[in-house]
Amino acid sequence: MKSIIASIGALAAATQVAAHGYVSSAVIGGTTYTGYLPYSDPYYSTPPQRIIRAIPGNGPVTDMSLIDIQCNGWSEGGVIGSSPAPLYATPAPAGSTVTLQWTDWPDTHIGPIITYMAKVPSGQSVTSWSPGTSAVWFKVAEAGLDTSTNTWAAIKLIADGNKYSFTIPSTLAPGQYIIRHEIIALHSSYTYPGAQSYPSCIQIEVTGSGTVTPSGSKLVAFPGAYGSTTAGLVWPLWNPNNLQSGVSYPIPGPALYFSSSGSGNTTTTTTRTSSTTTTSRASSTTTTTTRTSSTTTTTTRTSSTTGSSTLVAAYGQCGGQGWTGGTVQRLLLPMHSELKGDALGNPEKVITDG
């Protein structure tokens, strides 16, 4: 069994440099937690217990209308969304920094990094609670295109050793929460579906004396927060107009709930104009909110580095064989391998052009 696991791990490691990625560990409250490892954890007779909810592999979510967009999944392959993890990180003091370690991220997959949180309802446990389609998520950190250097958040992630840090809001009320963290890759976002979300969900228990329990119009649902008309999801990355220095990129989703929230490793200036439609199945009502605001997040760290849930079929994404969208990126991006898992978590090797 150990040799089989080692072989699978070696295959995964050999392809990750050229493939996609996921959160492999987290430092929370000064403790380092190993994340869910999709190419080894499922193959133990007794899988390791984790604080990060299971993911089917290192591939993307592109259909934003599926439950997979919440905490990852592969509906096309039979993995419908994700299930709660058996553990949670505690303590996670309000006002403290959370650092998330990604596996090697490809520099062709540029785009924003966004972090949400959701509070577990009273009387329930984060190890069994799933938000479903309820509007419970509030945004605590975001990083997009730094217009002063024309550098994307995903490129800064690479420059920082594939690490991303954000602060748990200092006034957040104690309790159990899910952190939803994602990179959105824009290399195929000239149409919808095209943008690739890579979400991970981490379970924590916030401690401290905060009193704020988020509510109101800034809460969104997954699925629901993103769609075909969401600003920033259709973004012709290689359009000459968008490549010009100083062009603003609208980060998808609502505005930050806490104005002091942010990332410890980015400098972002973004002009946001977004329209979000949230539908509550329980009440059968639809609320549409159009928000226009200007958000600037500045930190001292700089870098000189430059550089889906339905998963599309092999050769069907990133401008590969059978792709019906634009093909410009085929001239600009190298080949890479992508690992997927089937409904039982068994990996298969898929070659994609993207």
Side-chain angles (χ1 to χ4, degrees):
M1 175 62 73
K2 289 184 178 179
S3 62
I4 294 175
I5 294 172
S7 297
I8 294 170
L11 174 61
T15 59
Q16 281 173 358
V17 172
H20 300 147
Y22 54 90
V23 176
S24 59
S25 66
V27 179
I28 302 170
T31 299
T32 300
Y33 299 87
T34 300
Y36 182 82
L37 306 179
Y39 303 115
S40 61
D41 283 5
Y43 305 101
Y44 287 95
S45 56
T46 302
Q49 294 189 319
R50 307 297 192 193
I51 66 167
I52 297 182
R53 298 190 171 192
I55 60 174
N58 64 5
V61 178
T62 58
D63 187 341
M64 309 297 174
S65 70
L66 299 179
I67 192 63
D68 303 5
I69 192 61
Q70 185 176 109
C71 291
N72 215 313
W74 185 23
S75 288
E76 186 180 74
V79 183
I80 312 300
S82 187
S83 300
L87 303 178
Y88 56 92
T90 185
S96 66
T97 298
V98 173
T99 299
L100 304 175
Q101 176 69 61
W102 282 76
T103 56
D104 288 341
W105 187 255
D107 59 9
T108 57
H109 287 39
I110 59 180
I113 302 176
I114 310 173
T115 307
Y116 298 82
M117 294 178 68
K119 193 174 193 299
V120 178
S122 177
Q124 298 196 48
S125 171
V126 70
T127 59
S128 60
W129 179 64
S130 290
T133 57
S134 299
V136 294
W137 300 93
F138 53 96
K139 186 184 287 185
V140 297
E142 62 179 12
L145 176 63
D146 182 348
T147 56
S148 65
T149 62
N150 208 36
T151 303
W152 285 92
I155 296 300
K156 291 188 176 183
L157 172 92
I158 297 171
D160 287 328
N162 296 298
K163 290 183 174 67
Y164 182 87
S165 297
F166 73 95
T167 300
I168 299 174
S170 60
T171 57
L172 191 63
Q176 294 181 343
Y177 290 81
I178 303 173
I179 297 171
R180 179 189 177 276
H181 177 71
E182 69 180 335
I183 298 177
I184 299 179
L186 299 175
H187 57 290
S188 296
S189 64
Y190 38 78
T191 187
Y192 179 88
Q196 300 178 354
S197 173
Y198 296 81
S200 286
C201 285
I202 304 105
Q203 300 175 174
I204 66 171
E205 182 174 54
V206 172
T207 59
S209 57
T211 58
V212 177
T213 297
S215 62
S217 62
K218 288 185 180 180
L219 297 184
V220 297
F222 286 101
Y226 299 161
S228 60
T229 61
T230 300
L233 288 185
V234 177
W235 185 260
L237 194 62
W238 310 114
N239 185 313
N241 293 330
N242 291 337
L243 292 174
Q244 294 180 16
S245 178
V247 173
S248 296
Y249 167 75
I251 298 177
L256 292 170
Y257 194 92
F258 298 86
S259 59
S260 60
S261 298
S263 166
N265 62 355
T266 60
T267 301
T268 304
T269 301
T270 301
T271 300
R272 175 188 305 283
T273 301
S274 62
S275 178
T276 301
T277 300
T278 302
T279 302
S280 173
R281 293 185 177 179
S283 60
S284 297
T285 60
T286 300
T287 301
T288 302
T289 302
T290 301
R291 180 181 296 104
T292 302
S293 63
S294 178
T295 302
T296 301
T297 303
T298 304
T299 64
T300 58
R301 182 176 299 181
T302 60
S303 171
S304 59
T305 300
T306 58
S308 346
S309 166
T310 295
L311 299 180
V312 294
Y315 303 102
Q317 67 171 340
C318 307
Q321 180 179 345
W323 180 253
T324 59
T327 58
V328 174
Q329 90 282 6
R330 296 187 68 187
L331 303 177
L332 301 174
L333 302 179
M335 293 287 291
H336 67 262
S337 299
E338 173 185 335
L339 281 175
K340 293 283 189 286
D342 63 15
L344 299 178
N346 301 311
E348 59 177 280
K349 189 172 183 181
V350 180
I351 304 299
T352 60
D353 182 356

